[in-house]
Amino acid sequence: MNGSMINAMVSMNGLQQKLDILADNIANLNTAGYKRKDASFEDLLTNAKQQPNVFKEPGRLSPMNYTQGWGSRLATIEPDLSQGPLQQSGNMLDIAIEGNALYEVRTPEGTAYTRNGSFQLSPLANGNAVLATSDGNLVMGENNQPIVVPANHTIRVDADGTVQAVAGDGTASPVGRLKLLQATRPSLLTTVADNLYAVAEGVNVEDVLRTVSAGADSKVSLHQGYVEQSNVDMTSEMTDLINVQRAYQLSARALTSSDSMMGFANNLRA
């Protein structure tokens, strides 16, 4: 198998992975709190080759002879945590984050993090309720415990994340404060489900996330009654999709040409 065939096959594999990422971004265009994924690639191997004697003519020599690449591979998939547009929903259990922060939630598999602030009050056996995501995952407070709301109460969330239980007569009492974390190394966040991220096993959480308090200093604030929309830009995604499809088509043609040349060589030898 010659180098051009290997190069084309390896490149097509990486481009297919890029197409899958673009398709995932486009499919989640209207998913609340979704953060687009961005892929980075790296060269697999580059060999320096010596110029054949027949090419050793004035004007045809290069200082480093010539190089032969072996394609590229997908290096990392990193979430783009840039701000998405906020849309008013009218639901007081929708709490959108403005700024660089994530909610911490407790799932059956362990701790996870999300930007999706579409919450609900999940009832407990004693009549109280806990703040949870639409999937039933518990939302953590700053004390690393769920936010418990007394029976027959609604909630009011301040811009700094303080949660207050509001009774029918309008009186309010604080029941906790939402825990917010800021991603210092987003590339180490792993997507585990829709809108959920986790830190890979063996990686120190403190190296990836740090606790942050909402306020003017952190440029993070919460907005009750709002939903953060996806930060996917359809124009950019479609432009990337066209470029990747053209690159895939070029690699496919290179693979076909390499296969044809090998077929010619085999026929001549036969």
Side-chain angles (χ1 to χ4, degrees):
M1 188 179 294
N2 58 35
S4 61
M5 183 173 288
I6 297 174
N7 195 324
M9 287 193 302
V10 171
S11 297
M12 288 174 68
N13 181 59
L15 291 169
Q16 180 62 59
Q17 292 175 304
K18 176 66 172 178
L19 283 172
D20 293 340
I21 294 171
L22 291 173
D24 194 18
N25 288 340
I26 295 173
N28 287 280
L29 178 65
N30 296 316
T31 301
Y34 179 81
K35 296 302 175 185
R36 65 178 296 273
K37 300 173 186 174
D38 195 14
S40 60
F41 293 82
E42 63 183 7
D43 290 336
L44 276 177
L45 179 67
T46 301
N47 292 339
K49 298 287 186 178
Q50 187 175 2
Q51 293 278 8
N53 292 330
V54 70
F55 290 108
K56 289 185 177 180
E57 299 292 337
R60 304 189 70 172
L61 294 177
S62 60
M64 298 296 293
N65 294 311
Y66 73 96
T67 58
Q68 179 183 9
W70 297 95
S72 61
R73 71 176 181 92
L74 182 66
T76 59
I77 300 176
E78 181 176 341
D80 178 8
L81 298 180
S82 60
Q83 181 71 45
L86 301 185
Q87 181 177 1
Q88 189 171 9
S89 66
N91 183 357
M92 291 297 100
L93 293 177
D94 289 338
I95 307 167
I97 299 176
E98 182 181 5
N100 181 11
L102 296 163
Y103 293 115
E104 181 178 307
V105 298
R106 191 69 48 81
T107 71
E109 292 76 24
T111 302
Y113 311 93
T114 183
R115 287 277 298 195
N116 187 1
S118 297
F119 298 147
Q120 62 179 358
L121 290 177
S122 181
L124 299 174
N126 60 2
N128 295 337
V130 291
L131 193 63
T133 67
S134 56
D135 296 327
N137 300 317
L138 299 179
V139 182
M140 294 293 103
E142 280 190 336
N143 59 353
N144 294 321
Q145 297 296 322
I147 304 291
V148 179
V149 180
N152 303 318
H153 283 64
T154 58
I155 64 169
R156 184 172 68 216
V157 181
D158 298 332
D160 65 353
T162 301
V163 181
Q164 301 189 55
V166 182
D169 59 1
T171 58
S173 58
V175 292
R177 188 177 182 184
L178 291 169
K179 184 177 182 179
L180 299 174
L181 298 108
Q182 198 168 71
T184 55
R185 301 177 68 183
S187 59
L188 295 181
L189 289 175
T190 304
T191 303
V192 293
D194 291 338
N195 287 334
L196 285 181
Y197 303 99
V199 177
E201 192 173 341
V203 178
N204 191 359
V205 177
E206 286 74 19
D207 294 336
V208 183
L209 297 161
R210 66 181 181 91
T211 304
V212 64
S213 298
D217 294 338
S218 63
K219 298 181 180 179
V220 175
S221 61
L222 301 183
H223 299 268
Q224 187 175 16
Y226 286 81
V227 173
E228 182 186 10
Q229 300 299 302
S230 167
N231 67 348
V232 175
D233 181 13
M234 179 60 84
T235 302
S236 299
E237 299 298 322
M238 291 302 296
T239 302
D240 288 345
L241 182 63
I242 293 172
N243 291 333
V244 172
Q245 284 178 326
R246 287 177 175 173
Y248 190 92
Q249 184 181 23
L250 180 62
S251 296
R253 287 182 178 178
L255 182 61
T256 302
S257 299
S258 180
D259 183 64
S260 299
M261 287 189 292
M262 292 182 68
F264 291 151
N266 287 335
N267 291 334
L268 287 174
R269 207 159 67 178

